[in-house]
Amino acid sequence: MAEVLVGAVLKKLANFTVDKVIEKALSFYGIRAEVEKLSRELNYIKAFIKDADRKHIVEERQMQLVKDLIDIAYDVEDAIDIFHSECPEKLKLSGILGRLGRLPKQISKIPFLYQFQQEIKEIRSRIREINEFRERYEITSLGDDRIPQSNPQLIPTVDDSEIVGFETHRDNVVKCLLDEAYRSLAVVSIVGSGGLGKTTLARKVYNSGDVFENFGKPIWITISQAYDLLKILQDIAKDLCISSGNTEDVNELAENIRESLEKERYLIVFDDVWAEDFWETIKNAMPDKNNGSRVLITTRFENVAMKADTKYDPYKLPILDHEQSLNLFLKKAVPKKHQYPDGLPDELKSLAQEFVAKCRGLPLALIVLGSLLSTKPYDFHGWKRFLDTMSWQVDGSKCIDVIATSYEYLPLAKKLCFLYFAAYPEDKDILIEDLLWIWVAERLIPQEDTRTLEETAMCFLEDLVQRSMVQVSGKDFDGSIQSCRVHDVLRDLAIQKAKEMNFLIVCSKPNDWMSCNKARRVAINYSSNVNELMGDYANPNIRSLLLFGEGESNLDCSKYKLLRVLGCITWWDQRVVLRNFKGLPHLRYLKLNSEIKGKEREFGEWIRSMKYLETLDLGQSSHGDLSKWIWQVKTLRHAILDEYCNTQAPPTSADLTNLQTLLNVNYGESRPASGPPNITQVRNLMIEVRNFSMELITLLHNLKHLVNFVIRGISGIDLGKIIWKNFPFYENLKCLFIKTGYENDGNKTLVLRDDTLPPHLIYLELRGFKFVSDPLSVLQKLQNLKALYIYSEEEKVLMSWRFRCSAGGFKQLEELWIEHLMVDEWEIERGAMPMLKRLVVHGCDPLRVPLELVHLPSLKDLTWNTDIETNKDMIRSICKQRPDVY
């Protein structure tokens, strides 16, 4: 980690260039020579730290040395950035030169130069002092060499469903939940230590078919160590579609929840409960209508379970036995290509049993250790050398040691990326785009010749997933990761390591600010007015501020000159009021939920002054047209505007060669015909147009990398006239969303032909068209299509054609939505839609429910909105024949 930091600082020193006036002063006062000496010393520090990272550091004094060197690197970076921030002072310097004809002998007469000189001298003095300490306390040897790291190959992680031994536990817990002998409200508790799989088991119960058949929609609430009763009640109300408004009256909210829950048999899961009095606090909101309702709790502490209810004994999740442990470990440790037909050789099996013995039956420890071992040379000597370096053994109540080992063996850059997970709230899904763009903005991702920074960042994430340090919580239809999360034990490790290195501090309550005076990055995970405490305790040289709380925060941006990342990540709960639009010259990532209406000029000028801005996400901010200013920021990589802002797309003169994401811009007809803007690297494009003009077609002819395309037509878009195969992205386009005619003019009629659309689409959504023939009979030939959404303009005339899905059609389709198509018959041949999991039909009466739905082998979720009784009877018949369909 330290090597990465020092390397970044050295790069800054190498690029430490200024104009001639400043350079003359630097040389005259000897500052340039001081900077060069500092650079040479940092090169030695980098080599020392690289050697330290290659070896095991076990002694406190060795760790302290590395921490001190990291602090040095931080301070050098601050000094350089502050110097550049204050270079406008050069005007005064130029004035002095013009008045005196020469530089003054005393540098103190030029304050910003004098301050910089003193900081460099102070840093060099500290380096000498650290070296003296190292010699005095004989910190010379940094331990034994580590095993050389092989280049890991990405392997799919073992799914939760493959964790051995959990099916029986799931059935036992479900049996308690469905116990007809006890109809009163009861609490069922799952108890076990961290890393034992309590949440995994609860998820299996939560998602089981028996639960969905016997309860209303289950509710899942994560509690964690520090909980807020009001927030918990608001989350329950949100799941029940109860408007909580701005009320902070706990009793009123609890009463509203009670009234809603009384209507049906309910199940609420409270995951990761720590407080003994939790049930006493929450039970007033849980009605008992003697209908078999249940509450499921997971906790590490048996006394929490005993205080909650005594009807059912706490379900104590046991550790895995030796055979189960070995099976789980080998699933992770042995890639499929290395598996032997006759089983594992005896010499490797013997070593595997030693690894397993160290994990003491804890699933998380087995998974992480097995994943780590899968990156090592697959032979006896490779495994033996790794085993010999391990001095720890899980004690049965925690598995932090094995997790720490996995962290220590991460490549340097990936350590920093992993530490960023400390910022995110516990048990919350993390949107991948936010995470990867922040990594890039923080310069944690190295540039590779054949990949963009974002592609390399995704490879880093996939590697962390492969090592089981990160869990995938959502995937896109193309199989790419859409969201992720980290286990609470892994998050604890990230928080611990990030704090040790002053990399990042997490503020979960107001008192946490007192430890932020040296923090480089701060994540706020509670509701508060941020600026009040930041001003008292935060490091003025803070680099990143991430807001995850709720409510409204006031920020004075001018106080934090070196900020690189400012992110309002949970935008639906957190609103930021900017007191002014000043400062932040080093900002690279900005995501806000703010009111900018009426302040567009001031805000736009501020954005235009940012020379390094890469991500501008105003998707949840209210603002007008900002096109006059933001397209002058040449460093932009991702621009997301408010959907209703009417911001015009980049003009012809725009030079945005790094731009990859461009969402919610207007591509009007009044654009000059002199050519498209230079945005050839765009991969994600969302635009609003009146129609497909020649200017738009010219633009699309320059977008060879386009993967996701959303186009909203103010009037009708004649899709049939667009010749997609003429565009350079024809073979690459995966997702296409077209919405036409939300004004009533223009042609909305659509005739689909076999060559109407790009052939490799995975996701297709068509809204507002008038279909004059069956769209399914044509679209079923898109062999890669996995999600199809057809929303016709609401019709009141019965179509003369019928839906038809042929055998072999829609080979990969997993999700199909159809709305407002007035058709009376749907013919489905055997062999059609073999992968369809979810079907939603709405507003299509008099369409008859086809009996052939019962033969769709993958169907799990069926929603059909109908007023026709025969349709309702048919759906009941299908579900009776197919109990696996919900």
Side-chain angles (χ1 to χ4, degrees):
M1 171 182 159
E3 187 202 353
V4 175
L5 298 174
V6 176
V9 173
L10 281 168
K11 189 174 181 180
K12 282 196 172 189
L13 285 172
N15 297 326
F16 183 59
T17 57
V18 289
D19 65 13
K20 291 181 180 179
V21 173
I22 303 294
E23 185 58 47
K24 181 177 179 180
L26 292 177
S27 299
F28 181 78
Y29 295 115
I31 299 175
R32 173 59 71 181
E34 292 283 341
V35 169
E36 289 172 356
K37 289 176 185 176
L38 178 60
S39 181
R40 288 195 293 272
E41 288 176 327
L42 282 175
N43 269 306
Y44 281 108
I45 289 175
K46 182 182 178 183
F48 179 84
I49 291 174
K50 187 173 184 179
D51 185 51
D53 187 76
R54 189 173 54 85
K55 299 177 177 182
H56 280 301
I57 299 178
V58 294
E59 293 187 10
E60 282 295 321
R61 56 181 181 168
Q62 295 169 348
M63 281 302 303
Q64 186 59 51
L65 174 61
V66 173
K67 291 177 186 176
D68 288 344
L69 294 177
I70 288 174
D71 287 341
I72 291 287
Y74 283 146
D75 291 343
V76 173
E77 183 182 38
D78 288 348
I80 293 171
D81 286 346
I82 291 172
F83 177 80
H84 279 299
S85 297
E86 296 182 355
C87 261
E89 291 282 328
K90 69 183 181 184
L91 296 175
K92 295 180 182 178
L93 183 59
S94 299
I96 292 173
L97 281 172
R99 191 169 63 253
L100 301 178
R102 56 180 173 77
L103 288 166
K105 291 182 179 180
Q106 295 181 348
I107 190 175
S108 58
K109 293 186 177 181
I110 310 174
F112 85 105
L113 280 179
Y114 178 70
Q115 181 181 351
F116 183 59
Q117 182 191 55
Q118 295 304 306
E119 286 175 351
I120 296 298
K121 286 183 176 180
E122 170 63 22
I123 290 168
R124 291 196 61 223
S125 173
R126 283 169 55 204
I127 292 174
R128 288 192 294 271
E129 186 179 74
I130 289 172
N131 193 46
E132 289 173 4
F133 285 151
R134 185 178 66 84
E135 292 176 354
R136 184 183 307 165
Y137 298 108
E138 299 179 347
I139 310 174
T140 53
S141 173
L142 289 174
D144 300 323
D145 283 350
R146 288 182 176 175
I147 305 168
Q149 295 204 36
S150 59
N151 292 323
Q153 296 186 351
L154 296 183
I155 316 158
T157 53
V158 176
D159 189 76
D160 285 346
S161 62
E162 296 182 12
I163 297 180
V164 288
F166 268 43
E167 287 71 20
T168 301
H169 299 311
R170 177 198 60 200
D171 294 344
N172 290 340
V173 174
V174 169
K175 186 178 179 180
C176 293
L177 296 179
L178 301 181
D179 184 3
E180 291 296 329
Y182 192 76
R183 300 291 294 171
S184 296
L185 174 65
V187 179
V188 178
S189 301
I190 301 173
V191 179
S193 60
L196 199 50
K198 300 181 299 297
T199 299
T200 299
L201 175 57
R203 281 281 180 195
K204 285 178 176 292
V205 171
Y206 178 82
N207 291 321
S208 70
D210 289 333
V211 164
F212 276 94
E213 287 178 17
N214 289 277
F215 294 95
K217 181 181 179 295
I219 296 173
W220 183 285
I221 304 293
T222 299
I223 305 301
S224 301
Q225 200 163 351
Y227 72 89
D228 181 342
L229 178 60
L230 177 62
K231 176 67 167 60
I232 292 170
L233 294 176
Q234 288 172 339
D235 287 344
I236 296 173
K238 189 182 298 183
D239 273 5
L240 293 171
C241 299
I242 299 171
S243 175
S244 58
N246 295 320
T247 181
E248 294 190 3
D249 188 329
V250 170
N251 294 325
E252 179 184 342
L253 201 50
E255 182 59 33
N256 293 339
I257 291 170
R258 284 181 61 87
E259 291 178 4
S260 179
L261 291 176
E262 285 175 351
K263 299 174 184 176
E264 60 183 349
R265 185 183 187 185
Y266 63 86
L267 170 66
I268 300 182
V269 181
F270 293 112
D271 182 43
D272 198 17
V273 177
W274 287 61
E276 283 189 27
D277 63 349
F278 174 76
W279 178 242
E280 287 297 319
T281 305
I282 199 74
K283 70 179 184 180
N284 287 336
M286 308 287 108
D288 184 1
K289 300 299 289 183
N290 203 37
N291 61 357
S293 292
R294 295 288 186 264
V295 170
L296 180 62
I297 284 177
T298 72
T299 180
R300 302 183 186 194
F301 311 105
E302 189 172 349
N303 56 345
V304 171
M306 297 302 294
K307 289 276 184 131
D309 203 329
T310 55
K311 170 61 184 172
Y312 293 103
D313 292 334
Y315 192 85
K316 297 178 183 178
L317 194 57
I319 62 174
L320 302 183
D321 63 30
H322 182 75
E323 184 179 354
Q324 293 170 333
S325 298
L326 185 62
N327 289 338
L328 178 56
F329 174 78
L330 291 178
K331 281 180 180 179
K332 280 297 188 180
V334 184
K336 288 183 179 179
K337 68 176 184 177
H338 288 313
Q339 290 177 357
Y340 291 87
D342 299 327
L344 203 64
D346 289 343
E347 59 179 11
L348 286 181
K349 192 168 185 178
S350 175
L351 291 176
Q353 289 173 340
E354 290 190 57
F355 282 116
V356 166
K358 286 181 173 288
C359 295
R360 299 283 183 88
L362 283 175
L364 183 61
L366 290 159
I367 289 171
V368 174
L369 180 58
S371 300
L372 174 59
L373 194 61
S374 73
T375 69
K376 305 302 172 190
Y378 183 66
D379 54 45
F380 174 80
H381 297 291
W383 281 26
K384 184 68 168 66
R385 289 184 64 195
F386 181 55
L387 180 64
D388 290 343
T389 66
M390 296 170 58
S391 60
W392 53 263
Q393 188 167 28
V394 174
D395 65 6
S397 63
K398 61 179 182 178
C399 57
I400 198 72
D401 289 331
V402 64
I403 307 299
T405 298
S406 193
Y407 166 79
E408 294 299 339
Y409 276 88
L410 280 174
L412 286 162
K414 292 174 185 175
K415 283 183 180 176
L416 295 175
C417 291
F418 173 73
L419 292 185
Y420 237 102
F421 284 101
Y424 290 83
E426 187 175 354
D427 292 317
K428 296 293 185 183
D429 285 344
I430 301 167
L431 293 179
I432 295 305
E433 283 187 345
D434 282 340
L435 179 68
L436 301 190
W437 294 353
I438 289 173
W439 283 358
V440 170
E442 285 276 24
R443 293 299 183 265
L444 304 182
I445 307 300
Q447 181 69 65
E448 297 182 6
D449 292 338
T450 58
R451 293 189 181 121
T452 65
L453 290 169
E454 289 77 5
E455 288 169 342
T456 303
M458 178 59 82
C459 289
F460 275 32
L461 178 65
E462 288 171 346
D463 187 46
L464 292 172
V465 169
Q466 184 270 327
R467 296 168 185 267
S468 296
M469 301 188 75
V470 175
Q471 301 169 346
V472 176
S473 57
K475 286 189 175 183
D476 218 331
F477 285 105
D478 63 356
S480 60
I481 303 173
Q482 192 173 41
S483 61
C484 66
R485 58 172 56 197
V486 290
H487 192 282
D488 53 356
V489 176
L490 284 151
R491 180 175 178 268
D492 290 345
L493 174 71
I495 290 173
Q496 173 192 325
K497 295 292 183 181
K499 188 173 182 179
E500 284 177 3
M501 298 297 180
N502 285 333
F503 180 79
L504 184 146
I505 294 291
V506 179
C507 290
S508 300
K509 53 186 183 300
N511 289 344
D512 290 345
W513 277 105
M514 296 178 183
S515 60
C516 290
N517 58 330
K518 288 188 176 181
R520 311 287 293 180
R521 297 162 185 85
V522 175
I524 300 171
N525 290 344
Y526 70 95
S527 304
S528 177
N529 185 318
V530 173
N531 203 65
E532 291 177 359
L533 291 171
M534 272 190 73
D536 294 333
Y537 297 108
N539 180 356
N541 296 335
I542 186 175
R543 296 304 175 123
S544 297
L545 176 62
L546 300 174
L547 307 175
F548 296 93
E550 296 181 354
E552 188 173 283
S553 294
N554 289 275
L555 277 181
D556 182 356
C557 297
S558 63
K559 290 184 177 181
Y560 310 104
K561 297 179 180 179
L562 304 184
L563 206 63
R564 277 195 296 244
V565 172
L566 175 56
C568 182
I569 306 300
T570 52
W571 49 260
W572 54 88
D573 289 323
Q574 176 77 48
R575 190 165 184 83
V576 174
V577 176
L578 298 177
R579 292 186 180 179
N580 51 59
F581 301 126
K582 296 178 181 178
L584 307 190
H586 297 278
L587 202 67
R588 297 194 182 114
Y589 176 97
L590 178 62
K591 181 173 183 176
L592 288 178
N593 177 9
S594 296
E595 178 64 52
I596 305 171
K597 277 280 188 184
K599 308 172 188 174
E600 283 82 4
R601 174 179 291 277
E602 186 182 358
F603 180 81
E605 294 287 358
W606 182 51
I607 295 297
R608 182 166 62 178
S609 70
M610 297 177 185
K611 298 179 180 179
Y612 308 105
L613 189 64
E614 295 173 347
T615 296
L616 176 63
D617 187 346
L618 304 176
Q620 299 302 318
S621 293
S622 175
H623 62 86
D625 187 0
L626 296 170
S627 56
K628 184 177 179 180
W629 303 279
I630 60 176
W631 306 134
Q632 296 182 45
V633 183
K634 295 183 178 182
T635 53
L636 274 180
R637 303 176 74 89
H638 310 283
I640 303 174
L641 289 308
D642 175 21
E643 183 178 353
Y644 307 104
C645 68
N646 200 32
T647 291
Q648 298 300 304
T652 298
S653 58
D655 184 17
L656 298 166
T657 55
N658 296 315
L659 193 65
Q660 298 176 33
T661 304
L662 179 59
L663 304 186
N664 297 324
V665 294
N666 188 293
Y667 209 88
E669 292 180 320
S670 59
R671 300 180 62 83
S674 55
N678 188 1
I679 56 172
T680 57
Q681 298 300 314
V682 166
R683 287 155 169 76
N684 305 298
L685 178 63
M686 183 184 293
I687 57 175
E688 183 177 275
V689 299
R690 182 160 291 279
N691 55 46
F692 248 74
S693 62
M694 283 305 300
E695 289 77 18
L696 177 57
I697 291 173
T698 302
L699 170 68
L700 295 178
H701 275 297
N702 285 273
L703 301 182
K704 63 181 180 180
H705 299 289
L706 194 62
V707 175
N708 303 307
F709 185 25
V710 177
I711 179 168
R712 301 191 302 267
I714 296 174
S715 58
I717 296 176
D718 192 346
L719 193 58
K721 291 183 178 180
I722 303 170
I723 306 175
W724 293 93
K725 63 183 177 182
N726 289 346
F727 296 129
F729 56 80
Y730 179 67
E731 297 286 340
N732 298 329
L733 198 68
K734 291 182 180 179
C735 301
L736 178 63
F737 177 122
I738 302 180
K739 181 177 180 180
T740 185
Y742 48 88
E743 288 184 2
N744 290 324
D745 59 336
N747 179 21
K748 302 177 185 179
T749 301
L750 176 59
V751 180
L752 286 172
R753 303 184 306 272
D754 290 350
D755 61 347
T756 301
L757 296 167
H760 302 303
L761 290 176
I762 293 173
Y763 178 101
L764 174 63
E765 187 165 341
L766 301 173
R767 285 179 176 263
F769 289 101
K770 294 180 180 179
F771 294 92
V772 297
S773 60
D774 174 22
L776 300 187
S777 60
V778 175
L779 297 177
Q780 67 178 340
K781 299 173 184 177
L782 295 172
Q783 295 299 297
N784 297 307
L785 197 64
K786 293 190 176 182
L788 173 61
Y789 301 79
I790 300 176
Y791 302 86
S792 176
E793 183 175 84
E794 193 164 350
E795 295 282 358
K796 296 183 180 179
V797 179
L798 184 65
M799 301 295 179
S800 60
W801 41 267
R802 62 184 178 181
F803 289 142
R804 188 171 188 274
C805 295
S806 306
F810 288 126
K811 280 187 176 180
Q812 296 194 53
L813 192 68
E814 296 178 5
E815 193 161 310
L816 174 60
W817 287 59
I818 304 173
E819 290 199 15
H820 301 305
L821 276 170
M822 300 286 285
V823 183
D824 65 355
E825 188 175 352
W826 187 355
E827 180 184 337
I828 302 176
E829 294 183 0
R830 289 285 185 97
M833 301 185 287
M835 305 298 290
L836 190 69
K837 297 176 182 176
R838 188 180 191 194
L839 172 63
V840 178
V841 179
H842 177 75
C844 293
D845 284 350
L847 179 62
R848 295 188 292 275
V849 177
L851 178 61
E852 292 83 1
L853 292 179
V854 78
H855 301 301
L856 299 181
S858 302
L859 189 64
K860 298 296 180 188
D861 190 336
L862 172 61
T863 301
W864 197 298
N865 187 303
T866 179
D867 292 325
I868 301 174
E869 288 301 322
T870 54
N871 275 349
K872 297 177 183 179
D873 292 339
M874 180 62 74
I875 290 172
R876 293 188 190 101
S877 174
I878 291 171
C879 291
K880 188 174 182 180
Q881 296 177 64
R882 288 281 305 276
D884 58 323
V885 174
Y886 174 67

